[in-house]
Each structure stands twice: as structure tokens, then as C-alpha cells.
Amino acid sequence: MTTPTPRTRAIAVAEAKPALPRHIKLRHDAGRGRWIILAPERVFEPDDTAVEVLKLCDGERTVHDIAAQLAKDYNAPIMEIEGDIVQMVQDLADKGVLRL
Amino acid sequence: MNEIEPVVAEGAHSSSSGAEGAQTSPRIAEGAQAWPRADHSTEPACGRAPMGLLAELTYRCPLQCPYCSNPLEMDKPSTELSTAEWQRVFKEAAELGILQLHLSGGEPTARKDLEELVKTASQSGMYTNLITAGVLLTKDRLKALQDAGLDHLQLSIQDVDEANAEKISAYKGGLAKKRELCGWMHALGMPLTVNAPIHRANIENLPAIVEFAVAMGANRLEVAHVQYYAWALKNRAALMPTREQMMKTVEIVDAAKEKYKGIMVFDFVVPDYYASRPKPCMGGWGRGSMNITPSGRVLPCHAAESIPGLEFDNVRNKSLSDIWLTGQAFEKYRGTSWMKEPCRSCDRREIDWGGCRCQAMMMTGDPTNVDPACGLSPRHAEFVALATAESHVTTPPPFVYRRLGGTVG
């Protein structure tokens, strides 16, 4: 009767393909003029850059792809961005907000 | 001592959002924004419009747990809001800015129209969370709720020891039904939170409860020490753990958080009888969330009816936004202007908001007093002594089971 689920911690690496699970919703809250993440019993307010990253977390792009895209958009060094994104993705995966 | 986050009131902390510093720097090339070398972590959001709504759809429930948060005198089933009334309320709630809708009870699945209500709420854009004991659900009904747009389900368990679970809930065979439900949840790919109210009668099983949640495939586990209001208050002497027992749960949860990092998220609610600072009850009165009773009364918190002198509006007579903005019960203890000393000049007054008004009322007879859970309360020592004495009684009193129709005797 027990339900076997993958019970290992997902580790964020450059090849990881992060995505929002179906029950996590990135939504624009028009009334408050900001983006929010709706999660079980939680509401998170991602900052502007986190929103840019999350919009690209489609389960197809890798962390590296996302970093490359944002490096172009922001005219910033990819190495720096990739490091930031790995950290952010790991943090959100541990909170159950992203799956890898 | 460790991270303890409120479960009921989302966005309870007034946080500085991580957005500052993310603006365009004048030195950056045209069309590009600065990539802020900053922590992109997310912060709990907060706002002036309410974010959370707890809708108590019915007080009917097949379980009789002695720590139920429902009032001792419950609305009769015949007075429950109709399907159309709840649907209107949910649309109003979404317009008002509510982001999270918690469908609770009693046992919300006792409402035959639950699928319709979920559908309306979901279509209105709210995140829908079903808070259930799970024993009335069938696989087909669960699927129908998923199809209606249900985002998340929170399953309460009484214990993982079957005989003890039956004793606590006064309900036979519940645990087997919950296991079965978890299997269906897994098969349907639905996210599961297990909620375990913790008290003297099950506290020693906490390690097994954690393992149960992992085995059931839960994404989250709420280890929620019982909060002593309503039925739990009536049963406090049977439920209150000792300080040592409580501290042991802190250790167990801390170790489990580490062990299951990235696998299961934990929420931990401690009993405030052993705290030195009060909890920011509801994230502040009338600040972020509200409750609606089965018959439509709108409350700042589920125990607010224990405070005399408050007038509760009903959604049958007024719009939800009117009630939130101008309702007497919401205005009465909103903000800080109602405060007396030591709250008034306390530098934590906008952190814990003076704690819990209901508990201040209960202990001191005046809801504007500081919560006795606060070390600054003149009644604090007495409050702690009460818990200490009750928790050390060798033979605790029998449970007074939660029954519709109020307390008899």
C-alpha cells in the first residue's frame, strides 16, 4: 500500500532542466502589481530576476541555456549568472517550488 | 532556536521584498537591465488586501477529535450556505485579492457540491487547498476534484498507531482509508501534505509519523502542535505535552528536515505555552486572512467568537470587501492603535502584533491585554505554570469528544 516515489534530493547542476510542478503556480497578481508563486500554504514573492529565470524554467531548457539567454538579455557574464541560477534553482527545489 | 513558520497565515511576516536593487542601472547598455549580484531567494509576500481565506464549508464530520478547532457551539447543518452562495463568495474573494483558498470544515468532503465549489474557486484564479481527514473520499471523487481544478490536498492524521488513532478520532478504520487515499493521490500525481496535530496522546510517535509521511509520498509534512482553543482548550489537560516532550519534537523535526532536505518540506507549529514571545496570530488581526463559518459569518480568526463585543457580518448581507474593509470585528483589533502597554511601546508590536487576542481574553478577561504567551505579560508565569501542571498529571482526564450539537454536561 505504500507509494514508492523518488525519494532523493534533486541537485541543481548546469545540465538540470528545472520546471514548475503542476501544483506550483507562477502568476501575475494584478491587484498588487507583482509576480507571485502560489504553493501549498505558501505565497512567495520572487524578485524581478527570479521571475525572469522562472519564466524560462520550462523543463526543456537547461540551467545553462537559461543562463545563456539571460546573459544575452542582461549583457552580463554567463559564468556569474549561471552560478546565481544554480543556487536559486537548488533553493527553490529544496522548497518544493521547482522540480529538476 | 529554529525556523518556525506560521502555517495558517500565509505571508505572516512583514518582509522586505527582494526587489530593491533590481532596477536599471544608468550605466548599463541600452535595452539591458543590470544583473543584480544578489540573492534571488524568494520572500514570503505580504499585502494589505487579504491573501488567505479559510472557508469552513460545514461543521459535519465523521471524526470527533478532542482538539478540533471548531467552536463548541456549532452552526447547524440546515444553516449552511448554499452552493450558489459559496460560489458568489469565492468570486468576491478572488476579486478582493485572496490568493489562497483553504476548503475546510468540519469535513469539507461531507458537502456533496464540493466539486462545483472547487471549480468556481479555481476558475476565479485562487489556489485551492482541501483540508480533509480523507475518510469519506473515493477514488472517483478524488479524480473529479482534480478535474475541477483542485491544486493541493492536506490530509490530517491522528496517529500512525491504528488503535491510538481510533481512540483519538473516535472513528474506526480511518488509517487504512488514509493509506488508500495516499495511493490514489500518488496515482493521480496530486501533491500531498500530511498534517499531524501533535499532543500528549501521540507525541511519542512523532518519528514514526515522519516516516509515515515519507512512505506515503508526501511533499510536505506539517507537524502542528495543538493550539489550545475551542475543543482543544476544553481538553487541554488531556492534550498538553510537557516542555521536555515539546523540546524533543524540535530536535526530531530539525533532524528530519536535514535528513529529508529536498524530499519533503516541513512546517512546524509549536505550542505557545512554552514560548517566551507570542506567535503573530493570523499574521496580525485583520491583516492577511479571514475565516468564513458554514453559515456565512466572517471572522478574523476561527476563535474570534470567543471575544465579547465583536459584531460579525454575514456574507448573506454584505459583500466580502465591505466586511474586510469596514466590518466592526475586523476594525476592532486591526493594526496597533488598540494596544495597551507593554505592547504599545514594544519594538515587536508589528512583528507579533501583541500575539493572540483570544488567548488574552481567555486568560485575562480583556482582549486588549498582551497575550499571556508573552514573557512581558504579568500573567505569563501563571500561564506557563498551568501548562506545566496539566502536562505532569499522571492520569490525564478522559477526552471530551467533539460533537455537533455542542457540549453536553
Side-chain angles (χ1 to χ4, degrees):
Chain A
M1 214 57 231
T2 52
T3 52
T5 33
R7 304 260 91 182
T8 50
R9 182 188 184 200
I11 300 298
V13 290
E15 297 73 36
K17 295 177 175 175
L20 281 95
R22 189 167 49 173
H23 68 282
I24 303 289
K25 301 192 165 163
L26 176 68
R27 181 173 293 167
H28 190 254
D29 178 4
R32 297 175 182 87
R34 66 184 184 195
W35 286 86
I36 48 164
I37 302 168
L38 296 175
E41 309 246 355
R42 282 283 180 279
V43 178
F44 296 103
E45 186 178 351
D47 67 23
D48 294 352
T49 38
V51 171
E52 292 311 308
V53 174
L54 287 166
K55 283 180 183 168
L56 298 174
C57 290
D58 56 7
E60 294 187 5
R61 290 180 173 91
T62 63
V63 166
H64 181 78
D65 295 339
I66 295 169
Q69 177 70 50
L70 293 173
K72 208 172 110 198
D73 296 352
Y74 285 83
N75 195 20
I78 185 167
M79 289 305 286
E80 189 181 313
I81 288 185
E82 194 172 291
D84 281 2
I85 296 177
V86 165
Q87 207 180 344
M88 172 190 150
V89 164
Q90 183 68 61
D91 178 50
L92 291 180
D94 287 343
K95 287 178 175 157
V97 171
L98 283 177
R99 61 177 168 78
L100 305 178
Chain B
M1 135 175 82
N2 65 337
E3 328 161 26
I4 294 160
E5 295 173 311
V7 173
V8 176
E10 298 75 20
H13 308 289
S14 69
S15 68
S16 58
S17 102
E20 67 261 29
Q23 298 310 308
T24 309
S25 154
R27 288 189 302 276
I28 299 296
E30 171 190 8
Q33 280 190 306
W35 177 260
R37 189 82 182 88
D39 174 18
H40 309 308
S41 69
T42 51
E43 296 285 342
C46 77
R48 295 303 302 142
M51 311 238 303
L53 170 60
L54 181 76
E56 295 176 330
L57 299 179
T58 178
Y59 284 141
R60 287 172 283 153
C61 184
L63 275 59
Q64 301 178 22
C65 306
Y67 45 74
C68 185
S69 63
N70 290 158
L72 300 178
E73 301 296 333
M74 289 179 261
D75 300 344
K76 291 189 177 63
S78 59
T79 65
E80 286 177 13
L81 296 179
S82 68
T83 308
E85 283 172 322
W86 275 119
Q87 286 173 319
R88 171 178 64 76
V89 169
F90 291 162
K91 285 178 194 157
E92 287 182 10
E95 281 166 23
L96 182 53
I98 300 268
L99 303 171
Q100 297 253 6
L101 174 66
H102 306 287
L103 299 160
S104 181
E107 175 48 57
T109 60
R111 289 275 308 210
K112 292 193 167 58
D113 56 357
L114 184 61
E115 294 86 332
E116 288 173 75
L117 300 182
V118 166
K119 192 170 181 186
T120 301
S122 180
Q123 285 173 349
S124 308
M126 290 186 287
Y127 193 90
T128 50
N129 176 29
L130 180 64
I131 299 175
T132 178
V135 300
L136 301 179
L137 279 167
T138 61
K139 191 176 182 179
D140 288 346
R141 189 130 198 250
L142 187 65
K143 177 75 171 66
L145 288 167
Q146 184 185 37
D147 292 344
L150 184 67
D151 290 304
H152 175 255
L153 185 148
Q154 179 186 308
L155 176 68
S156 65
I157 59 167
Q158 286 67 48
D159 197 354
V160 292
D161 175 293
E162 194 158 357
N164 201 39
E166 290 182 356
K167 186 182 170 213
I168 293 165
S169 59
Y171 183 86
K172 291 261 179 241
L175 190 60
K177 289 183 182 173
K178 289 167 199 279
R179 284 179 191 275
E180 196 174 23
L181 172 64
C182 291
W184 301 331
M185 295 280 296
H186 184 69
L188 290 170
M190 295 177 76
L192 169 69
T193 289
V194 170
N195 171 279
I198 299 295
H199 47 83
R200 183 174 178 168
N202 69 1
I203 196 165
E204 297 300 332
N205 288 337
L206 179 56
I209 288 171
V210 172
E211 296 310 316
F212 174 88
V214 174
M216 291 298 111
N219 309 71
R220 284 175 75 245
L221 172 62
E222 290 183 6
V223 176
H225 274 275
V226 163
Q227 302 289 303
Y228 293 93
Y229 303 96
W231 293 88
L233 182 62
K234 200 171 184 59
N235 284 290
R236 190 179 57 193
L239 296 168
M240 181 69 76
T242 64
R243 178 190 292 269
E244 293 69 31
Q245 285 179 310
M246 190 278 284
M247 292 307 292
K248 189 79 205 302
T249 63
V250 175
E251 279 173 38
I252 292 167
V253 171
D254 277 349
K257 271 184 187 169
E258 197 51 44
K259 182 175 177 190
Y260 294 114
K261 188 169 188 170
I263 293 170
M264 197 164 72
V265 178
F266 287 80
D267 274 307
F268 188 39
V269 179
V270 293
D272 51 7
Y273 280 71
Y274 297 125
S276 57
R277 291 290 181 204
K279 59 181 179 282
C281 199
M282 302 305 287
W285 184 277
R287 214 170 149 267
S289 49
M290 61 171 119
N291 288 19
I292 302 181
T293 73
S295 64
R297 287 189 311 288
V298 187
L299 316 179
C301 77
H302 55 65
E305 288 175 296
S306 66
I307 299 179
L310 294 179
E311 295 153 27
F312 301 106
D313 293 307
N314 193 300
V315 293
R316 285 182 165 130
N317 311 318
K318 264 172 118 174
S319 78
L320 204 55
S321 74
D322 258 9
I323 295 172
W324 172 258
L325 292 170
T326 64
Q328 186 263 3
F330 282 89
E331 288 284 78
K332 186 90 178 174
Y333 303 117
R334 186 176 264 149
T336 56
S337 58
W338 56 271
M339 287 179 177
K340 303 196 292 198
E341 293 297 350
C343 299
R344 183 187 285 270
S345 62
C346 181
D347 56 12
R348 291 178 59 85
R349 65 185 178 278
E350 292 192 350
I351 297 171
D352 58 35
W353 304 94
C356 171
R357 305 281 53 77
C358 304
Q359 204 150 259
M361 174 66 210
M362 178 204 309
M363 188 80 190
T364 74
D366 180 353
T368 64
N369 279 333
V370 56
D371 183 339
C374 180
L376 300 174
S377 165
R379 305 293 291 273
H380 182 67
E382 196 185 327
F383 184 70
V384 178
L386 203 75
T388 308
E390 287 182 348
S391 67
H392 280 94
V393 171
T394 330
T395 313
F399 292 148
V400 179
Y401 286 104
R402 174 247 199 236
R403 285 189 178 121
L404 206 59
T407 53
V408 185

